[in-house]
Amino acid sequence: MEKRLNEMTGSPTESRPSKILKSQGHTDQDKEDKQLQDLSMSKNPRIQRYLVAIEYIGTRFSGSQQQPNCRTVVGVLEEAFHKFIGQPVSIFCSSRTDAGVHALSNVCHVDVERISKRKPGEVLPPHEPSVVRRAVNHFLQNEGDISVIDVRCVPNDFHARFKAQERTYFYRLVSGSEPLSTFEKERAWHVPEKLDLNAMQEACKVLVGHHDFSSFRAAGCQANSPIRTLDELHVCEVPATPYFPSITEREQNNSSLKDSHTCSVKPDVELPINSFSNTNDMVDTNNGKSNLEEFGIRRRHRSYVVTARARSFLYHQVRLLVGVLKCVGTGELTTSDVERIMNAKTVTAASPMAPACGLYLGRVKYDLP
C-alpha cells in the first residue's frame, strides 16, 4: 500500500487512444487518487497532520521511498520523527525521486499524536510547526545531506501527493571540454560538447503542451495513461556555480554604493566569476608555456538549466526529455527528429536517458488551507 500511495503512476498496460481528449489525462487519475486518499485519511481526532517540506542531496540516498536495507529519504526522516516523538510514524511523499536525484523542496505529510513522556497515555496538545522543524532537524544534523525547511499544520484529509496542484523539476547541464569541477560532481550532467541553446529552445516548443508522452515513459511505468500536460519546458543559460564576483563586478558595486570608506587594490589578474576562466589558456608564443598569470584559474564550463513544470509526470519523463534536448543541443538530433520521436509513441525511439545526478525537484505547489 505504501508503495502504491507514493508512486505518481499507475498500471503500465492499456490501449492508446486514437484521439487525445483534453480532460482524459486527469479523469481516471483523479478517481484513483480520491480512492487512495480516502484510505490514507486519519480518523483519529487526537492526531495532528503536518505538511513537511524537505531538501536533500540525493547522492547517498537509494531514492525517496522506503526500501529494506537501503538508506532512503523517507527512512531517514521517519527515524528522526521517531526519535522526536518516541513512537514510529509513516511518512507519505508528494513526489517520488530515484537514487541520485536531489530536492530543493519535496513535500510529505506525517500524522503525529503527542503523548506525554512523563505520564504515558496522556494526550497533549500538538506541537507548534516551528517546534517540529527544529526538533526533527536536530535529529537530522548528523546526516549532513537532508533537512526540514518548512512545516505546517493541515487537516487530516490533506494528502501531500493528491493535493499537489503542480510540480516543478530543474535539470542542470554543464558544457565544456574541461573535466568536471569537484564542486559540480554528482550535481550536474557534464556534456563535453558545446550546446546550441537556440536549437534546444526550439525543441522545447515541440514538447510542451498536451500530448501522448509514450516516447518519454520508461519501462515499468505504472501510469494508467501516457497522456500528460506539460505546462512548461524551458532551457536557459545560467551563471556557473559556485558564484563569486569578479574584480570588475566588485568595482561596479563599490561605485554604485559610492562608499568613500570602501577601498581596494586591483590585483594583477582579474579573477572571473567562481575563479573559472571563460577564455582559452593564455600561451606564451616564445616558449609555448602557459602564461603564469593564468596559473591556478580553472576554465569555467557553460551552465544550463532545463525547467519542466506539470501537475504530474510519467516515470523518468523529465530525464528522457532532457536526454532528447541534449542531443538536439549537440546536433545529433533536429527539431524534426523530436517530432518523429514524439509521434513514434515508444520509448525505444527516444535518446538515452539523462543521468539522475542533474535532476532536482524544485517545488510542489499547493492551495493550502
Side-chain angles (χ1 to χ4, degrees):
M1 173 60 71
E2 180 179 347
K3 178 180 179 182
R4 192 75 182 92
L5 287 171
N6 286 275
E7 288 181 349
M8 292 173 57
T9 56
S11 171
T13 58
E14 76 169 81
S15 59
R16 296 188 180 94
S18 58
K19 182 177 181 181
I20 299 175
L21 300 178
K22 181 70 176 177
S23 61
Q24 180 182 344
H26 292 322
T27 302
D28 295 338
Q29 181 179 344
D30 290 342
K31 291 179 181 178
E32 181 182 2
D33 287 357
K34 182 63 169 61
Q35 293 172 353
L36 293 175
Q37 181 179 352
D38 292 341
L39 290 173
S40 68
M41 187 185 303
S42 172
K43 304 298 183 180
N44 189 340
R46 302 186 305 178
I47 289 179
Q48 175 63 59
R49 177 164 290 190
Y50 294 97
L51 200 64
V52 182
I54 54 176
E55 64 179 8
Y56 51 86
I57 300 169
T59 307
R60 296 194 301 119
F61 287 106
S62 298
S64 59
Q65 296 309 110
Q66 186 73 274
Q67 301 176 51
N69 304 317
C70 291
R71 182 175 185 262
T72 65
V73 172
V74 166
V76 167
L77 200 56
E78 287 182 347
E79 183 180 357
F81 266 94
H82 192 175
K83 291 177 180 178
F84 168 39
I85 65 175
Q87 52 187 326
V89 299
S90 294
I91 288 176
F92 299 89
C93 280
S94 66
S95 305
R96 172 179 167 182
T97 58
D98 291 328
V101 175
H102 318 291
L104 305 177
S105 180
N106 198 350
V107 180
C108 56
H109 76 254
V110 59
D111 293 332
V112 174
E113 184 178 22
R114 185 184 177 191
I115 305 295
S116 173
K117 295 181 180 179
R118 294 183 177 180
K119 298 179 181 180
E122 180 181 354
V123 180
L124 301 176
H127 291 288
E128 290 295 321
S130 59
V131 173
V132 175
R133 178 182 176 181
R134 289 196 303 270
V136 175
N137 277 336
H138 169 75
F139 292 109
L140 289 174
Q141 61 183 337
N142 291 333
E143 299 293 337
D145 52 6
I146 181 173
S147 63
V148 175
I149 60 175
D150 208 354
V151 179
R152 176 174 291 200
C153 295
V154 292
N156 286 355
D157 63 347
F158 193 97
H159 198 287
R161 174 190 165 195
F162 306 132
K163 290 290 187 179
Q165 296 182 334
E166 189 176 81
R167 295 167 173 87
T168 301
Y169 282 90
F170 301 111
Y171 196 99
R172 297 188 61 243
L173 304 99
V174 292
S175 169
S177 59
E178 288 287 306
L180 193 63
S181 164
T182 301
F183 295 100
E184 294 280 24
K185 288 182 178 178
E186 304 299 335
R187 304 287 194 278
W189 184 11
H190 179 212
V191 179
E193 303 92 342
K194 291 183 179 180
L195 294 175
D196 185 336
L197 180 59
N198 290 332
M200 297 170 71
Q201 290 172 336
E202 287 300 312
C204 286
K205 296 177 183 178
V206 174
L207 297 166
V208 74
H210 190 70
H211 302 290
D212 182 333
F213 283 99
S214 294
S215 295
F216 301 93
R217 178 188 195 185
C221 179
Q222 297 179 357
N224 287 330
S225 171
I227 299 168
R228 289 293 185 271
T229 300
L230 190 55
D231 296 307
E232 179 184 2
L233 186 64
H234 177 264
V235 57
C236 61
E237 186 170 7
V238 298
T241 57
Y243 182 97
F244 299 113
S246 68
I247 183 63
T248 302
E249 290 174 312
R250 298 197 298 273
E251 287 179 341
Q252 291 173 347
N253 185 59
N254 288 340
S255 298
S256 63
L257 292 175
K258 297 181 180 179
D259 186 352
S260 60
H261 298 289
T262 302
C263 62
S264 61
V265 177
K266 186 173 182 178
D268 293 335
V269 180
E270 176 179 334
L271 295 180
I273 299 170
N274 83 344
S275 295
F276 289 4
S277 175
N278 272 331
T279 58
N280 293 328
D281 290 338
M282 296 178 64
V283 177
D284 186 333
T285 55
N286 293 327
N287 54 23
K289 295 182 180 180
S290 296
N291 190 321
L292 293 179
E293 290 185 348
E294 293 293 313
F295 178 77
I297 301 178
R298 170 188 273 275
R299 292 181 60 190
R300 183 172 50 169
H301 291 96
R302 305 289 289 269
S303 185
Y304 304 88
V305 171
V306 177
T307 301
R309 179 171 54 86
R311 181 190 174 192
S312 62
F313 292 89
L314 300 168
Y315 185 47
H316 286 166
Q317 182 181 353
V318 177
R319 290 166 61 188
L320 285 164
L321 289 168
V322 173
V324 166
L325 291 177
K326 174 262 183 186
C327 288
V328 171
T330 58
E332 300 169 65
L333 295 176
T334 65
T335 302
S336 297
D337 291 325
V338 176
E339 294 176 345
R340 173 183 54 79
I341 291 170
M342 175 75 84
N343 294 330
K345 295 182 173 59
T346 173
V347 71
T348 57
S351 304
M353 184 169 63
C357 61
L359 184 60
Y360 296 73
L361 174 57
R363 186 193 180 195
V364 184
K365 182 180 177 182
Y366 298 93
D367 182 11
L368 290 174

